[in-house]
Amino acid sequence: MFEGGLNVDYFILLLAILLLLGVVTTKFSSRFGVPALVLFIGIGMLVGSDGLNFIYFDDPHLSQLVGVIALIIILFEGGLQTKWGSVKLILTTSLSLATFGVFLTTAVVAVSVKLLLDVNWLEAFLFGSIVGSTDAAAVFSVLAGKNVKEKLSSTLEAESGSNDPMAVFLTITFIELLTKDSTSILGLILSFFWQMGMGAVFGYLFGKLAVYAINRIRLESSGLYPVFALSFAILTYGVTMLAGASGLLAVYVAAVLMGNSHLTYRNSIVRFNEGFAWMMQILMFAILGLLVFPSELFHVDIMLKGLMISFVLIVIARPIGVFLSMPTSAFTINEKLFISWSGLRGAVPIVLATFPLIEGVENSQLLFNLVFFVVLTSALIQGSTIPWVAQKLKLTEKEKPTSPHVLELVSMGKANAEIVEFFVPEHAKIIGQTLEEISLPKESAVSAMIRGDELITPTGRTEIHAHDILYIMAHKSKLKSVTEYLSKQNIEKN
């Protein structure tokens, strides 16, 4: 229908349909335990030329552009909600998985590809590089709302947020080796360390700048603050990439720093980016679904070889990468098995698979179709069984109550006041005390409480229970004092 020039009205209508279908499918995703990304991809394939033929699409350049923009937003949203207190405990392990683990996975997959396909070693290692890293969009989406142990979910999220530089480095390295007569291996290795190191540095600097600007600049509308924050994420990526470093790593680092700092209109920023990240996931996976042709993807030869490669990746390569990259860590065997099983593939491998297509690498279409099939297999098999595997390995914990989304917190920037949310864990010292008995700093008070599903208007005689969620209104100058007081009472910030 849309082959050639696009009719603007039809295109807008199609976009609306894609978004509506994408939002509705999230309901089926949670009900049937199928990762949402699979359904989004299915929508793309359904409306494509091999499906209902609503639109003909075969532009890897546009797919790559949309994919990168979506990954920036998804990584930014995931970083905003990452707790630094949990991440710093497993940072070394996550970085080892993101580098050495990706390399080991790449090597093992490459050997299987060489044995199964009629390709040379460089093409085999190119394929291994593309599927070597886990995907932040898939990991954040599947783990959201699951009661997996915090240490494990933090490890997987930190790994997926930081392993893109290694995958990109390996992919570009093997593309250059395939397409150029002479390539400096030393130069490529130095480039990798530059990408990792300067990506982290740029992320830290732009994160600090964003926090300072958001808290100091008073905008006319509170609705501008989420846009202002997101603009820093895009700016971070753009400047970092121009410097030859890893833009995606920089975005994740900046987002983690911002998410663990005091931010004016924090709730609005987080909620806006949560919804926007979902929208970009829908568009990204739908467009990637449009890019593939089901008649080619579900060819018997592609399916058989894809299943064998998926088996090697899931059952052999990923566990080898996990166990050998974290030999001295404090993780148990069951925890390592769970991390091995939870190495989801998603948008990143598909976007990376467009690189060989654009560069005209031999067998690039074959590699793309196989990568796509491997991603679908990973999402369907691993993504849908993660909660079950966590339960079988006894790696779940009690689900912490969260504030209902109908409770809208506001940041009163012009009044120099903030409403801060705190969760009361089971071991908190103030459990059993009344609000009169706790010694919050002056110019601060508990203005609301959530207990179970009930909103409580507190008085001085209201007693604090485990798992209560406290909403404390405080003058901005007292926020640090409030946080320090609650920390001394052994309350963990939510």
Side-chain angles (χ1 to χ4, degrees):
M1 183 181 293
F2 294 142
E3 187 173 2
L6 289 181
N7 181 295
V8 174
D9 295 331
Y10 280 116
F11 182 79
I12 292 174
L13 176 61
L14 178 65
L15 179 63
I17 293 172
L18 286 177
L19 289 174
L20 286 170
L21 288 175
V23 172
V24 171
T25 55
T26 60
K27 185 71 175 178
F28 295 99
S29 170
S30 58
R31 178 172 297 179
F32 298 113
V34 179
L37 68 92
V38 175
L39 300 179
F40 299 156
I41 288 174
I43 291 172
M45 290 193 291
L46 178 66
V47 301
S49 56
D50 268 5
L52 299 177
N53 197 27
F54 283 157
I55 183 170
Y56 179 88
F57 183 81
D58 63 350
D59 189 342
H61 293 85
L62 180 57
S63 300
Q64 189 180 104
L65 175 63
V66 173
V68 170
I69 293 173
L71 287 172
I72 292 170
I73 295 166
I74 293 165
L75 275 172
F76 182 64
E77 188 272 335
L80 283 177
Q81 304 205 50
T82 297
K83 297 179 182 178
W84 173 244
S86 300
V87 169
K88 67 181 180 181
L89 299 176
I90 46 81
L91 186 60
T92 302
T93 298
S94 296
L95 289 177
S96 180
L97 286 169
T99 51
F100 190 49
V102 171
F103 178 78
L104 289 172
T105 302
T106 296
V108 175
V109 171
V111 173
S112 68
V113 170
K114 175 60 178 173
L115 295 175
L116 289 170
L117 306 180
D118 183 22
V119 296
N120 59 43
W121 277 108
L122 288 178
E123 291 169 341
F125 269 92
L126 174 59
F127 184 95
S129 303
I130 291 171
V131 299
S133 68
T134 58
D135 178 64
V139 171
F140 291 154
S141 174
V142 171
L143 291 180
K146 304 296 187 296
N147 58 338
V148 176
K149 282 187 176 181
E150 187 174 7
K151 179 175 72 170
L152 296 174
S153 60
S154 297
T155 300
L156 291 166
E157 289 173 0
E159 177 201 6
S160 65
S162 59
N163 65 7
D164 294 330
M166 187 65 172
V168 172
F169 162 74
L170 290 173
T171 299
I172 292 175
T173 296
F174 288 109
I175 288 176
E176 290 193 5
L177 291 172
L178 282 163
T179 58
K180 295 182 179 180
D181 294 332
S182 60
T183 302
S184 172
I185 301 299
L186 178 60
L188 291 170
I189 293 173
L190 292 175
S191 173
F192 168 71
F193 285 105
W194 171 266
Q195 288 185 45
M196 288 288 288
M198 294 310 297
V201 169
F202 275 105
Y204 178 82
L205 293 176
F206 275 100
K208 283 288 187 182
L209 177 62
V211 171
Y212 179 85
I214 291 169
N215 290 336
R216 291 300 181 94
I217 298 176
R218 293 191 177 182
L219 301 175
E220 292 301 317
S221 170
S222 61
L224 291 174
Y225 282 91
V227 180
F228 195 38
L230 182 59
S231 68
F232 275 100
I234 300 172
L235 179 66
T236 300
Y237 179 86
V239 174
T240 305
M241 290 299 291
L242 286 176
S246 173
L248 293 177
L249 177 61
V251 169
Y252 184 68
V253 171
V256 172
L257 192 151
M258 292 170 66
N260 287 274
S261 302
H262 163 67
L263 283 179
T264 300
Y265 294 101
R266 175 189 179 83
N267 188 71
S268 297
I269 291 171
V270 171
R271 294 301 177 219
F272 170 84
N273 282 285
E274 184 179 21
F276 198 31
W278 270 109
M279 186 183 78
M280 292 309 298
Q281 279 197 67
I282 294 170
L283 289 178
M284 173 178 63
F285 286 116
I287 286 177
L288 293 175
L290 284 170
L291 187 62
V292 72
F293 291 84
S295 60
E296 297 178 4
L297 180 67
F298 297 115
H299 189 275
V300 175
D301 187 55
I302 293 292
M303 292 175 65
L304 288 176
K305 291 176 179 176
L307 285 172
M308 287 186 281
I309 295 172
S310 297
F311 176 83
V312 172
L313 174 63
I314 296 170
V315 180
I316 301 174
R318 171 66 177 178
I320 288 176
V322 169
F323 278 81
L324 293 185
S325 62
M326 46 192 297
T328 59
S329 67
F331 289 81
T332 66
I333 295 295
N334 279 3
E335 289 172 339
K336 291 179 181 179
L337 287 172
F338 179 77
I339 292 173
S340 299
W341 187 255
S342 304
L344 293 174
R345 271 61 189 173
V348 170
I350 300 175
V351 171
L352 288 179
T354 63
F355 284 35
L357 285 174
I358 293 172
E359 295 296 328
V361 174
E362 189 178 355
N363 294 317
S364 58
Q365 188 61 55
L366 171 64
L367 295 179
F368 179 84
N369 288 333
L370 282 170
V371 167
F372 207 104
F373 190 85
V374 168
V375 167
L376 284 179
T377 305
S378 171
L380 282 170
I381 296 177
Q382 294 173 280
S384 60
T385 57
I386 281 179
W388 179 81
V389 172
Q391 289 180 347
K392 289 297 180 181
L393 295 176
K394 299 180 179 179
L395 299 175
T396 58
E397 58 187 7
K398 289 184 178 179
E399 189 173 350
K400 291 182 179 181
T402 57
S403 57
H405 288 200
V406 294
L407 180 63
E408 185 65 26
L409 303 184
V410 294
S411 174
M412 294 157 287
K414 295 183 179 179
N416 290 320
E418 292 279 347
I419 294 180
V420 185
E421 176 184 293
F422 281 90
F423 169 77
V424 183
E426 294 180 354
H427 58 273
K429 295 178 182 178
I430 60 172
I431 292 175
Q433 297 183 32
T434 64
L435 296 183
E436 289 178 334
E437 295 172 335
I438 64 175
S439 303
L440 284 170
K442 292 181 180 179
E443 299 184 73
S444 63
V446 178
S447 58
M449 296 175 64
I450 296 288
R451 181 170 296 159
D453 295 326
E454 183 181 0
L455 173 64
I456 298 173
T457 303
T459 66
R461 296 183 180 180
T462 302
E463 188 175 288
I464 298 173
H465 294 178
H467 300 162
D468 281 349
I469 300 173
L470 310 182
Y471 296 95
I472 302 168
M473 182 180 291
H475 190 275
K476 286 186 176 180
S477 63
K478 299 296 181 181
L479 287 175
K480 185 176 180 181
S481 300
V482 170
T483 303
E484 290 176 349
Y485 170 76
L486 292 170
S487 296
K488 291 178 182 177
Q489 303 304 311
N490 206 19
I491 289 186
E492 300 171 350
K493 187 175 180 181
N494 186 28

